[in-house]
Amino acid sequence: MLDAASIWKSFDGVEVLRDVSLTVRQGECLVLLGPSGSGKSTLLRCLNLLEPVSSGSIVFDGTEIANTPRGQVAKVRQRIGMVFQNFELFQHLSALDNIALAPIRVRNVSPDRAREQARTLLDRVHLPDKADSFPDELSGGQQQRVAIARALAMEPALMLYDEPTSALDPEMVGEVLAVMQDLAETGMTSVVVTHELGFARRVADHVVFMDGGQVAHRASAASFFGDKAPERVERFLSRMPA
Ligand SMILES: Nc1ncnc2c1ncn2[C@@H]1O[C@H](COP(=O)(O)OP(=O)(O)O)[C@@H](O)[C@H]1O
Ligand SMILES: [Mg+2]
């Protein structure tokens, strides 16, 4: 589904990604771990063309997208859902309208049909009775689940999550991870930046550990957590909450 090869990215001459490669097969979940500043968000932003790469190849669903002309970027990005740490919902729209907006505007789905699909998605993220709630009437965990539903409304082939639970109170982390796990288990291909090791252990097929803009370690989840990892990785893991 996604094959990124030798991605380099610099900002003003400072190299932030150095020769990063990763592959995600259809239906797989890849978890990206690594310390703050290691380039995880930049990598996700490059993968969905929010940032141009300096060099490298990104093959998404059989098509090279790394050098997509500006005018066609939006078209590619429609097929890649992205969920951010801070939800980024439209504050002036209800949960239902947040979800229905892009299908109506971008995919020319009829408003009735888009709202019907939005209701189905609200069920999917376990918020069937929040259609008419505005973001400021929802908890962080609920807002993030609406944000996931909004991304799903475009029927993406790939979901990217950038620390989706890092801004949440601890008691809300589980409800968001449960939705992500359910999606992964029902076949959604995903790349997840998270510090939730339990999620990585339970849900990831593969784990990539980034450090200093490079892939420092990669393994199947079973091997990543089961076998001895490089010293740098062991030190990182030992400092994380259980
Ligand atoms: N738009 C930008 N301009 C300049 N430097 C940036 C920009 N975005 C990220 N960086 C730098 O790139 C490095 C990696 O950042 P980031 O991808 O956010 O790491 P992570 O998500 O792993 O914490 C950091 O040193 C950060 O300061
Ligand atoms: Mg980040």
Side-chain angles (χ1 to χ4, degrees), residues 11-12 14-17 34-43 45 51 162-163 193 210:
F11 291 108
D12 305 321
V14 179
E15 280 174 352
V16 170
L17 296 177
S36 178
S38 59
K40 306 179 300 296
S41 293
T42 303
L43 177 58
R45 293 170 62 80
E51 287 284 352
D162 193 356
E163 300 202 33
V193 174
M210 291 188 59

Side-chain angles (χ1 to χ4, degrees), residues 2-7 19-24 30 32 43-44 47 57 59 191 208 210 215 218:
L2 182 70
D3 196 7
S6 199
I7 301 293
D19 196 18
V20 172
S21 298
L22 57 80
T23 298
V24 193
L30 177 84
L32 268 181
L43 177 58
L44 286 195
L47 292 177
S57 152
V59 176
V191 178
V208 164
M210 291 188 59
V215 173
R218 78 174 81 229

Side-chain angles (χ1 to χ4, degrees), residues 1 26 60-61 75-82 99 102-104 106-107 109 113-114 116-118 120-121 124 147-159 183 188-189:
M1 181 56 72
Q26 170 128 29
F60 169 58
D61 201 11
K75 190 101 193 137
V76 174
R77 294 197 52 218
Q78 283 174 32
R79 305 198 52 233
I80 304 178
M82 179 112 179
I99 299 166
I104 294 170
V106 182
R107 296 177 67 212
V109 177
R113 175 93 187 103
E116 184 189 319
Q117 287 170 336
T120 305
L121 287 167
R124 190 90 209 264
I148 291 171
R150 183 179 60 175
L152 293 173
M154 294 298 284
E155 299 179 6
L158 171 69
M159 286 285 282
L183 289 169
M188 178 57 75
T189 311

Side-chain angles (χ1 to χ4, degrees), residues 85-111:
Q85 189 171 329
N86 291 311
F87 332 133
E88 303 191 15
L89 294 175
F90 305 113
Q91 295 299 313
H92 63 292
L93 295 179
S94 67
L96 193 82
D97 288 338
N98 262 280
I99 299 166
L101 184 69
I104 294 170
R105 289 260 178 94
V106 182
R107 296 177 67 212
N108 294 318
V109 177
S110 75

